[in-house]
């Protein structure tokens, strides 16, 4: 898989379910041995070989580390390790997670700090992981684990519900990480928006380099399921994808592992449903598939180009994987059939999946080569009825037409700099599964009226473009 990752332009991978866990279908989040790579995937030596190979390809490897809780099994793991409930965990009932049925660490105990901090050092020194993504940070930092809570005002971050010991541990973990490897990457999986979580410890923060923008994937899913295409609001989309503190870097993603597991549907599957099984051949015309492919591209386009720090893709979403992930369990007779990704679908040029992968590769390379994420987005224009959005980042202009039926000729968009612009990415290109209605060879010159420089462009329905000043 690593050569695929390299070709697509990604510079890091995040490995999940690495720490040993007894139940396959827990997705690795019920850890029994914090110092053992899961034996079901191979040996520790083979894990090291995988990481070394990634490094040869200049791909960083990030471990999804689970320090938010531990498996409650008593014949393996830490539960009742010394015959008591409170060696590493809070006494009952505080020591039991009410939703996950797992044990909750007492981060105020010196033994717990020693155990978990040595675990951080172990994975980085022994296996040469380049970073750690801390799972369940919201569950760690609040006594109620954030269950059923909407974080709507700042007082919630400073009340009696906050586990300050957990925050101290996370700050220490970040210090240890960056002492072991100053270039390491730390990421917090937090849904609460705790201020200064991804801010330097020296300046009063907890020290994470990034926070996961967990609400974005939920927003897209809710939009797909509950809104008609005519109701997609470009102002709301821009706000939801950029409503992060500019001082704190975040990782944006359109689809999470939760959506790709049994019980939910990946994005393309949600958009086209059963048609994905019958109409993905390139010689088959299907309006449902055309709509799904167009919107799938626009969702990823907006998520990446409006990100504040980094972009994450869940494996298979780059080509619209048609199925969920289902681990061997009682419910499927312990089958491995759906525990795999169908990479062959993306490589078959007789199927439309390869169009989506082509677009993903072009989008990621375009973002990297033009340093798009190094500049903050600036909204230049929006029109709710026309469902048009225009924003700038650095010397690039991004234009999106979300309207399901209307294409616009000579539509004027205000831009900050006069001059000539050329299209460097166009979602309607034929090799992306589009209709080829945009001529990328045309050089577009700005015009000046009403005191503002404008670009006049042809904007087909459900398309996105990136223009760069020449």
């Amino acid at each position: 898989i690593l050569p695929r990752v390299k070709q697509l332009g990604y510079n890091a991978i995040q490995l999940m379910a690495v720490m040993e866990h007894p139940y396959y279908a827990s997705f690795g989040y019920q850890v029994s041995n914090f110092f053992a790579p899961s034996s079901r995937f191979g040996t520790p030596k083979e894990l090291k070989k995988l990481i070394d190979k990634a490094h040869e390809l200049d791909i960083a490897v990030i471990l999804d580390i689970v320090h938010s809780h531990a498996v409650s099994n008593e014949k393996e793991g830490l539960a009742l390790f010394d015959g008591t409930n409170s060696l590493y965990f809070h006494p009952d009932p505080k020591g039991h997670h009410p939703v996950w049925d797992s044990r909750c660490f007492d981060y105020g105990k010196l033994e717990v700090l020693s155990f978990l901090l040595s675990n951080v050092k172990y994975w980085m020194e022994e296996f040469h992981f380049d970073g750690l993504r801390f799972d369940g940070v919201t569950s760690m930092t609040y006594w109620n684990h954030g269950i059923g809570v909407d974080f709507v005002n700042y007082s919630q971050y400073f009340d009696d519900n906050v586990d300050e010991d957990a925050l101290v541990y996370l700050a220490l973990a970040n210090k240890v990480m960056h002492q072991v490897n100053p270039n390491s990457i730390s990421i917090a999986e937090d849904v609460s928006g705790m201020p200064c979580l991804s801010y330097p410890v020296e300046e009063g923060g907890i020290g994470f380099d990034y926070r996961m923008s967990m609400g974005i994937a939920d927003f897209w899913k809710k939009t797909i399921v509950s809104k008609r295409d005519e109701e997609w609001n470009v102002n709301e989309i821009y706000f939801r994808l950029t409503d992060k503190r500019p001082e704190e870097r975040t990782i944006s993603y359109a689809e999470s592992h939760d959506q790709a597991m049994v019980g939910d549907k990946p994005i393309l599957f949600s958009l086209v449903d059963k048609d994905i099984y019958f109409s993905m051949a390139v010689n088959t015309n299907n309006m449902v598939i055309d709509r799904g492919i167009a919107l799938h591209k626009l969702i990823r386009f907006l998520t990446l180009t409006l990100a504040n720090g980094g972009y994450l893709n869940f494996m298979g979403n780059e080509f619209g994987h048609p199925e969920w992930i289902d681990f061997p369990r009682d419910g499927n007779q312990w089958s491995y059939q759906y525990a795999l990704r169908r990479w062959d679908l993306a490589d078959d040029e007789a199927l439309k999946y390869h169009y989506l992968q082509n677009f993903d590769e072009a989008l990621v390379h375009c973002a990297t080569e033009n340093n798009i994420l190094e500049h903050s987005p600036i909204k230049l224009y929006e029109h709710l009825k026309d469902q048009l959005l225009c924003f700038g980042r650095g010397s690039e202009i991004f234009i999106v037409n979300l309207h399901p039926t209307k294409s616009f000729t000579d539509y004027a968009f205000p831009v900050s700099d006069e001059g000539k612009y050329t299209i460097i990415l166009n979602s309607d290109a034929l090799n992306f599964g589009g209709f080829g209605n945009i001529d990328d060879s045309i050089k577009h010159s700005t015009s000046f009226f009403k005191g503002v420089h404008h670009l006049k462009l042809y904007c087909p329905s459900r398309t996105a473009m990136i223009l760069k000043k020449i």
Side-chain angles (χ1 to χ4, degrees):
I1 308 304
L2 288 173
R4 305 184 69 94
V5 176
K6 180 68 174 179
Q7 179 180 335
L8 289 172
Y10 293 93
N11 58 14
I13 55 173
Q14 175 186 310
L15 299 184
M16 310 175 78
V18 171
M19 302 164 75
E20 188 58 270
H21 49 287
Y23 184 43
Y24 205 156
S26 76
F27 216 64
Y29 291 125
Q30 299 275 351
V31 175
S32 56
N33 193 325
F34 287 79
F35 289 83
S38 178
S39 59
R40 56 174 62 84
F41 304 128
T43 66
K45 185 176 181 180
E46 288 171 323
L47 175 59
K48 293 178 181 180
K49 184 178 178 181
L50 169 66
I51 295 171
D52 288 344
K53 184 62 178 178
H55 288 166
E56 289 176 15
L57 296 171
D58 292 324
I59 297 172
V61 187
I62 299 167
L63 171 67
D64 187 358
I65 196 166
V66 184
H67 283 181
S68 46
H69 60 133
V71 71
S72 58
N73 299 26
E74 295 175 359
K75 292 186 178 181
E76 56 193 326
L78 297 175
L80 289 186
F81 190 71
D82 68 339
T84 72
N85 273 319
S86 56
L87 178 63
Y88 289 104
F89 311 110
H90 289 289
D92 296 332
K94 187 182 289 187
H96 284 275
H97 198 289
V99 174
W100 298 340
D101 189 26
S102 54
R103 302 305 312 278
C104 301
F105 287 106
D106 182 351
Y107 301 103
K109 297 187 73 171
L110 205 57
E111 294 83 357
V112 172
L113 294 180
S114 178
F115 179 81
L116 295 178
L117 291 174
S118 64
N119 192 237
V120 167
K121 189 178 181 186
Y122 167 78
W123 289 108
M124 296 188 67
E125 285 192 339
E126 186 66 24
F127 293 93
H128 296 175
F129 277 101
D130 303 284
L132 302 174
R133 178 265 204 188
F134 283 76
D135 169 68
V137 168
T138 305
S139 178
M140 295 172 68
T141 51
Y142 301 95
W143 292 115
N144 63 8
H145 308 294
I147 299 170
V149 177
D150 291 326
F151 292 87
V152 294
N153 61 71
Y154 273 81
S155 65
Q156 293 172 278
Y157 303 127
F158 305 101
D159 60 19
D160 294 337
N161 183 40
V162 177
D163 183 353
E164 295 179 3
D165 291 332
L167 289 176
V168 170
Y169 163 67
L170 291 171
L172 290 170
N174 274 285
K175 291 290 286 185
V176 168
M177 278 187 65
H178 292 95
Q179 285 173 0
V180 173
N181 179 2
N183 296 316
S184 62
I185 305 163
S186 63
I187 305 170
E189 190 221 19
D190 169 61
V191 73
S192 75
M194 170 74 74
C196 292
L197 198 62
S198 52
Y199 208 65
V201 173
E202 294 77 11
E203 298 183 37
I206 306 302
F208 284 100
D209 297 303
Y210 297 92
R211 180 209 307 276
M212 306 289 285
S213 292
M214 299 179 66
I216 291 177
D218 292 335
F219 167 73
W220 282 126
K221 183 69 177 182
K222 189 178 296 184
T223 300
I224 292 169
V225 171
S226 64
K227 291 189 176 182
R228 295 164 49 245
D229 293 3
E230 292 82 0
E231 296 172 335
W232 287 32
N233 185 307
V234 292
N235 179 61
E236 181 186 24
I237 290 171
Y238 186 90
F239 173 75
R240 290 298 187 96
L241 270 58
T242 59
D243 67 338
K244 311 296 182 290
R245 303 180 192 95
E247 306 86 4
E248 298 185 73
R249 294 186 296 178
T250 53
I251 305 279
S252 296
Y253 51 101
E255 176 178 302
S256 74
H257 65 277
D258 291 325
Q259 291 163 306
M261 292 176 69
V262 168
D264 208 337
K265 294 180 180 179
I267 291 176
L268 187 64
F269 208 175
S270 298
L271 288 166
V272 304
D273 204 63
K274 65 182 183 299
D275 289 63
I276 204 168
Y277 297 117
F278 311 108
S279 303
M280 287 298 284
V282 294
N283 59 359
T284 301
N285 293 320
N286 183 301
M287 292 182 66
V288 173
I289 295 295
D290 289 344
R291 168 187 177 269
I293 286 177
L295 290 178
H296 190 266
K297 289 183 289 186
L298 293 184
I299 287 170
R300 287 177 291 151
F301 179 93
L302 286 162
T303 304
L304 190 158
T305 58
L306 288 174
N308 174 35
Y311 173 73
L312 173 71
N313 175 68
F314 185 76
M315 60 177 185
N317 184 44
E318 70 274 10
F319 62 89
H321 200 285
E323 292 284 3
W324 50 76
I325 289 177
D326 188 7
F327 289 132
R329 56 187 176 84
D330 285 330
N332 63 15
Q333 291 76 51
W334 301 98
S335 170
Y336 286 83
Q337 180 180 355
Y338 295 115
L340 307 172
R341 297 282 82 182
R342 290 286 308 277
W343 309 106
D344 60 298
L345 296 175
D347 297 334
D348 190 342
E349 294 195 0
L351 299 175
K352 296 178 182 178
Y353 297 103
H354 84 279
Y355 292 142
L356 295 174
Q357 180 169 269
N358 290 346
F359 177 73
D360 202 80
E361 181 178 348
L363 178 62
V364 171
H365 279 283
C366 183
T368 303
E369 293 164 6
N370 293 283
N371 300 313
I372 284 173
L373 298 186
E374 291 185 9
H375 307 277
S376 297
I378 300 172
K379 186 192 291 185
L380 299 173
Y381 177 84
E382 69 177 17
H383 195 292
L384 300 186
K385 186 177 179 181
D386 292 343
Q387 293 179 272
L388 284 166
L389 175 66
C390 175
F391 56 94
R393 295 189 83 148
S395 61
E396 283 74 47
I397 303 295
F398 304 80
I399 295 173
V400 179
N401 178 7
L402 276 167
H403 203 286
T405 59
K406 288 185 179 180
S407 298
F408 301 95
T409 303
D410 291 333
Y411 205 102
F413 296 94
V415 295
S416 53
D417 294 327
E418 66 173 320
K420 288 187 176 182
Y421 289 78
T422 184
I423 297 172
I424 58 175
L425 185 72
N426 152 32
S427 71
D428 193 50
L430 293 174
N431 63 320
F432 301 152
F435 296 97
N437 290 320
I438 298 174
D439 187 350
D440 293 346
S441 66
I442 296 175
K443 303 297 185 289
H444 301 272
S445 298
T446 57
S447 54
F448 189 77
F449 60 95
K450 294 185 178 180
V452 180
H453 298 286
H454 287 77
L455 276 175
K456 287 188 176 181
L457 299 164
Y458 171 54
C459 298
S461 167
R462 291 191 180 125
T463 60
M465 293 178 280
I466 303 178
L467 293 95
K468 186 179 182 68
K469 186 179 178 183
I470 301 173

